Amino acid sequence: MSGLKQGGRADSGACLGAALSTIGELVGDRLSRAEAVRLQHASQLTWMASQPPDAVAFVETTDEVAAIMRICAHHRIPVIPFGAGTSFEGHVNAPYGGLSIDLSRMHSILSVNAEDMDCTIQPGVTRLALNEHLRDTGLFFPIDPGADASLGGMAATRASGTNAVRYGTMKDNVLAMTVVLPSGETVSTGSRARKSSAGYDLTRVFVGSEGTLGIITEMVLRLAPIPEAIVGGICPFPDVRSACDAVIATIQSAIPVARIEFLDELTVHAVNAHSGLDLAETPLLLLEFHGTAASVAEQSQRFGELAEAFGGGPFIWSEKPEERSRLWKARHEAYWACLALRPGARPIPTDVCVPISRLADCVEATKSEIADLGLVAPVVGHVGDGNFHVQPLVDMDNPDEIETVRGFVARLAERAITMGGTCSGEHGIGQEKRRYLEREHGRAALSLMRSIKAAIDPHNLMNPGKMLEPEE
Amino acid sequence: MSGLKQGGRADSGACLGAALSTIGELVGDRLSRAEAVRLQHASQLTWMASQPPDAVAFVETTDEVAAIMRICAHHRIPVIPFGAGTSFEGHVNAPYGGLSIDLSRMHSILSVNAEDMDCTIQPGVTRLALNEHLRDTGLFFPIDPGADASLGGMAATRASGTNAVRYGTMKDNVLAMTVVLPSGETVSTGSRARKSSAGYDLTRVFVGSEGTLGIITEMVLRLAPIPEAIVGGICPFPDVRSACDAVIATIQSAIPVARIEFLDELTVHAVNAHSGLDLAETPLLLLEFHGTAASVAEQSQRFGELAEAFGGGPFIWSEKPEERSRLWKARHEAYWACLALRPGARPIPTDVCVPISRLADCVEATKSEIADLGLVAPVVGHVGDGNFHVQPLVDMDNPDEIETVRGFVARLAERAITMGGTCSGEHGIGQEKRRYLEREHGRAALSLMRSIKAAIDPHNLMNPGKMLEPEE
């Protein structure tokens, strides 16, 4: 297996200058080298240092992206795709400089095919904008990572979120893409057919490729019917294990739960303060059921019985949209709510996923280490998938603490992998998690990934320094 | 993009002899060169000529497959993986000779993790054997292509079948694989976590790769809970369009139908005769609903109302297992039932998939051409996915008729692609459908697929002459 070339980088200022000058002729004042713009396009939601690109191009069409890519390929300039900048793993940083391609102006919804329950969009459309647009069609796009991320970015990181237990992840909901390759060629990865056995699954090659294989410039997304009735509810549990056992029993009982989210007592405490709620400050499950009125009532009742059998409850649920919204808004604001637990500290959200039978073991061991280390680190989880996040609040002026938290995150990744899981359920690898990839996949699989990268991007121009590339 | 080397072939008898002699030392009498065995490992369910391999190795372990692969790689001998031989597209043929690796003895179910709803199996396990084994766990494996195919073969062709509308295809139900690469290296493509964002999606690279990238020797499959209640039913429609409209309305209404199958009047006629049924000989939908007793009753009632609104009905349904079994047995035997429509002729099943809004157009245009050409060609479809099969019965002694049917199949593929669909919904490309691949994907995407192939299998040893390789 061939290795990966080390960091495609702009070898000389001359090359970069020539490339940017040609690109400037193409896009005019939509190319910016202003420092504020460059800084805004570096990663800011992580503990990695911001590494701004040399310039930012605000692109508007696939053809324009292809033309820019050809110029960058000619001059060997690194290219970093940028959606909404909501990545937690440093995906938009430019460790070797180069050009950030900002796709946020490509935000058109090109078509909605209600009969086929799909839509064709540009990658800069955000999930909230899409759902707002779809409101009157009876359809919605179910993938909900919390942040109002761009859908192109969500595809690039194989995002998921609270609805994945019922509706799957981006892997399951992108039917096809248009992608500009590192060569500047444009490919279409599939059709609008719901399924196909015609050739390699190029769509799934690009979903989760973190901008390292090409630039997504158009997507066909699968939509879901807006449920006739929705019930949301809250159920406290005495401890993590009983909550996890109730989750396993729920899923095994074929209750088609749409969302089943875990909040630990510290998160509940923060959410109560932030959102003016008075939830019991114990491990909680937040749930949502989708279906007909009769079916969501039946699902809720059955879940309540199961929860009780595992020592949980009472399960309090409601069909009222305003109560549900309040609850889910609180869940989505947990990230911000938790900031108040340690003012001035930076949150470092991390993300693992394990087989659900190991979830309680993994969360318990992790919380025990949090206590031992004296960290302030709330835990939330998309527990129907075995996926959870720990969000240590770190004093970034304290190098010892940073080292401690790094060690904690490394042991968490190791724990998840040892339990048959993964070091990233939905945030991706980016920069910081590269160190766990060989441990998770083994040398042969990592080498295979690098062969695919080298075949598609032989000069390592696309988002260099991310995912597969060894750490510096 | 680099091209694909032309057909890896055993350049000389000497190489082949040396390779087989070394392999013989390894596996003893599990290597066969007997003509009957070789013929049995060539494709027989298609109009392509049988092209037997030079020898067949009946393998038993991953390590053995890896050792054999290394020998074949050293001598540049083509390798053709063989599961149960149920492919319709010539996948197991050996146009360049070489070694067929028969995985049917690798039929162990290595573990079932009921809490995680997954199992780890060897690739020679068939879907019926797996479901028989799972019976007492409350779980089942939902992918049902009709034939009792090997699960390794089903993964390799990205198979689906009648349950896909609810449970997805093999793409959605393989969590991870062990694969022996053309180099003889063994890779593991994922973990038992339900989802992951850690690196390229190698699992989906191999699902649907038709044995052209490596040999699957182990798989982790996702299982589903056996529904508490199942209802099956039949609904006649006056014509194709009203049936398709009812399907669209059903799916848009979020009725979580588990199966929704179309049979045209000719298929119903054949099935009646074969299975001693007395179904109305009009276009029919066969349905199945999974859920709680209350929910399947509600689903059935709602579907019945919808069907009536589109001129169909009466929808007759039953919860009795024996009645449902009789119905689905009849559906699965449609292939055999249709043989009696023209004794002595060979069935040539073909397979396209279109966006569901175009399904009625595509089926109508196809049936109209069937009538014009005077073909005997029943139509069945997994219509919830927009996927349908036409099965012309061909007099293989009549070259003119063969030409006519080839033209018909080509126009059907073209029609599906023009309507935004695919030339194969679930059977794969194999040999005969290679000619449609560039038309469907475009030159750039096909070239990208070939780059991936060349990166993983630079000497084109794995299943040469299939899928991506230009026709001879």
Side-chain angles (χ1 to χ4, degrees), chain B residues 103 146 251 256 261 374 385 467:
Chain B
L103 296 137
I251 290 172
E261 294 283 304
D385 305 309
M467 195 202 270

Side-chain angles (χ1 to χ4, degrees), chain B residues 219-235:
Chain B
M219 299 199 288
V220 182
L221 300 179
R222 197 175 168 140
L223 304 172
I226 295 174
E228 200 175 299
I230 301 178
V231 156
I234 307 174
C235 193

Side-chain angles (χ1 to χ4, degrees), chain A residues 123-381:
Chain A
V125 176
T126 68
R127 65 173 189 91
L128 291 179
L130 177 59
N131 280 326
E132 180 64 26
H133 180 91
L134 292 172
R135 217 165 39 172
D136 299 328
T137 63
L139 300 170
F140 77 119
F141 184 68
I143 313 303
D144 171 9
D148 190 21
S150 74
L151 289 154
M154 286 168 60
T157 52
R158 209 182 290 124
S160 46
T162 59
N163 277 315
V165 63
R166 168 76 172 263
Y167 296 95
T169 75
M170 288 304 282
K171 162 174 83 60
D172 309 298
N173 289 282
V174 180
L175 287 174
M177 292 172 169
T178 302
V179 179
V180 173
L181 298 180
S183 61
E185 274 182 303
T186 301
V187 299
S188 164
T189 68
S191 72
R192 283 181 50 241
R194 284 262 142 168
K195 65 185 194 188
S196 170
S197 285
Y200 298 154
D201 188 351
L202 293 183
T203 303
R204 252 53 58 181
V205 169
F206 289 102
V207 172
S209 64
E210 304 189 5
T212 65
L213 297 178
I215 305 164
I216 302 165
T217 62
E218 205 171 294
M219 300 199 287
V220 182
L221 301 178
R222 197 175 167 140
L223 304 173
I226 294 176
E228 197 174 300
I230 300 179
V231 156
I234 308 174
C235 192
F237 283 84
D239 48 42
V240 170
R241 187 161 296 272
S242 56
C244 290
D245 286 344
V247 172
I248 293 173
T250 303
I251 290 172
Q252 278 188 326
S253 307
I255 298 175
V257 59
R259 290 168 151 173
I260 188 161
E261 294 284 303
F262 171 83
L263 280 68
D264 77 347
E265 59 284 5
L266 183 59
T267 307
V268 178
H269 174 72
V271 162
N272 274 343
H274 182 83
S275 302
L277 296 171
D278 57 353
L279 305 171
E281 295 187 2
T282 67
L284 270 191
L285 293 181
L286 257 67
L287 295 103
E288 197 167 273
F289 302 103
H290 295 176
T292 61
S295 130
V296 293
E298 187 182 37
Q299 292 176 53
S300 305
Q301 191 210 326
R302 289 197 169 197
F303 171 77
E305 289 162 11
L306 276 175
E308 208 174 311
F310 290 97
F315 175 50
I316 297 169
W317 49 280
S318 169
E319 277 199 48
K320 292 192 188 141
E322 61 281 11
E323 288 187 25
R324 279 192 293 108
S325 299
R326 194 154 152 258
L327 208 61
W328 289 106
K329 191 159 174 290
R331 164 64 189 90
H332 281 328
E333 287 177 357
Y335 173 81
W336 306 105
C338 288
L339 299 191
L341 293 172
R342 197 180 177 198
R346 188 183 296 184
I348 305 292
T350 187
D351 160 44
V352 294
C353 187
V354 293
I356 197 168
S357 63
R358 304 307 305 277
L359 183 60
D361 297 338
C362 198
V363 173
E364 281 179 353
T366 303
K367 285 183 70 77
S368 157
E369 195 184 352
I370 290 169
D372 291 347
L373 295 172
L375 301 179
V376 180
V379 178
V380 297

